[in-house]
Amino acid sequence: MNFEHKPVLLKECIDNLDIKQDGIYIDGTIGGAGHAIEIYKRLSEKGTLIGIDQDPFAIEVSRQRLAQLEGQASFILENSNFLYMKSICRKNNITNVDGILLDLGISSHQVDEAERGFSYQKDAPLDMRMNRQGELTAEIIVNEFGEEEIRNILWEYGEEKWASRIASFIVDYRKKQRIKTTFQLVDIIKAAIPAKARREGPHPAKRTFQAIRIAVNDELKVLEQVIDDAVALLNPGGRLCIITFHSLEDRIVKTQFKNRSDPCRCSKKLPVCVCGAVKTLDVVNNKPITASKEELEDNPRARSAKLRVAKKV
């Protein structure tokens, strides 16, 4: 099966998971099993790998690739969202795990698969669903959401400074005809952004496509909840590794890790803590880990990847 996806920060993830041979590990975004294979290779027959992905094709590819290895560990694969990792563990009689990896980037396979509608460089139906069973699509957002709602999505999720103009142009365009394809949307975005601004920085549609994708898949709300669940699932000493690809995600992870490693909200004037907050994490790396020069030469898509690591107290 053709599922090409180079795992980003592979060595850094494996090193920071601090894998125990007999441990239980979750790859919450298994994709083509790039990270998962390296985790699996380090497990004994007593170890277990749990792989989760919203894309059924990714699960099937991962199943085949893991089955071809000579490892003796067991593996469990679930076509689901990592939001449900607690129930997946419960279903498999697993109460706690030793490490969790979440790679929040959209896979190269999904971008390269034109009909998914993730790429602004390929003409395709406006879809952007990671889970194709979901009801909300990018086409519904641009054609049926109100102008203010679209503007807020572009501003909050894409940090797009031209959000108001783009939303206005979208609404004007759809009065004449429905917006059905990625290239239609790209043309609208280019028309909305002044020529000088289009010549500077990344592709003019990048932020809008990112924002709509986040909205379609409810990515940021899911992330906040899943960190809670991940911390609850980890054994003491267990590691949580999260790779983000844009500032909004990274800010959430950084804030959540900080709040759990330094939870006290008492006044600095008090000699001791009286709020009763309990520390649950130690932050392993205060600054995010980024791709090496060598990795960037081999995989330019890793340029925006940031890895943050925390350990359960």
Side-chain angles (χ1 to χ4, degrees), residues 76-188:
I76 298 163
L77 302 182
E78 292 278 349
N79 178 206
S80 185
N81 189 302
F82 53 54
L83 182 62
Y84 305 111
M85 65 172 70
K86 283 180 78 174
S87 60
I88 290 168
C89 287
R90 193 161 51 242
K91 182 176 77 172
N92 289 281
N93 298 314
I94 293 170
T95 53
N96 295 99
V97 302
D98 298 291
I100 299 170
L101 171 64
L102 303 175
D103 176 354
L104 303 182
I106 181 173
S107 76
S108 347
H109 165 74
Q110 288 174 328
V111 172
D112 293 339
E113 198 177 11
E115 68 268 20
R116 301 296 294 274
F118 288 110
S119 176
Y120 44 77
Q121 296 178 322
K122 298 178 181 180
D123 198 18
L126 270 172
D127 192 322
M128 299 196 196
R129 289 173 299 174
M130 291 184 183
N131 178 358
R132 284 173 156 170
Q133 305 304 312
E135 294 181 1
L136 183 62
T137 66
E139 182 180 340
I140 290 173
I141 287 178
V142 298
N143 287 287
E144 300 175 22
F145 280 28
E147 182 175 337
E148 184 178 357
E149 201 170 1
I150 294 172
R151 180 189 65 79
N152 289 342
I153 286 171
L154 302 190
W155 174 249
E156 292 175 16
Y157 296 161
E159 298 176 304
E160 173 56 75
K161 68 178 181 179
W162 299 103
S164 292
R165 276 180 63 86
I166 294 170
S168 176
F169 275 55
I170 285 172
V171 170
D172 285 344
Y173 185 97
R174 74 190 193 191
K175 289 175 183 175
K176 294 168 276 188
Q177 60 177 297
R178 191 171 178 86
I179 305 165
K180 294 183 177 181
T181 71
T182 53
F183 277 8
Q184 275 181 289
L185 182 56
V186 168
D187 287 342
I188 294 167

Side-chain angles (χ1 to χ4, degrees), residues 8-9 13 35 101-105 241-245 249 305-308:
V8 300
L9 299 168
C13 287
H35 292 103
L101 171 64
L102 303 175
D103 176 354
L104 303 182
C241 298
I242 303 181
I243 304 171
T244 63
F245 286 83
E249 290 175 338
K306 293 181 179 179
L307 170 64
R308 291 189 184 271

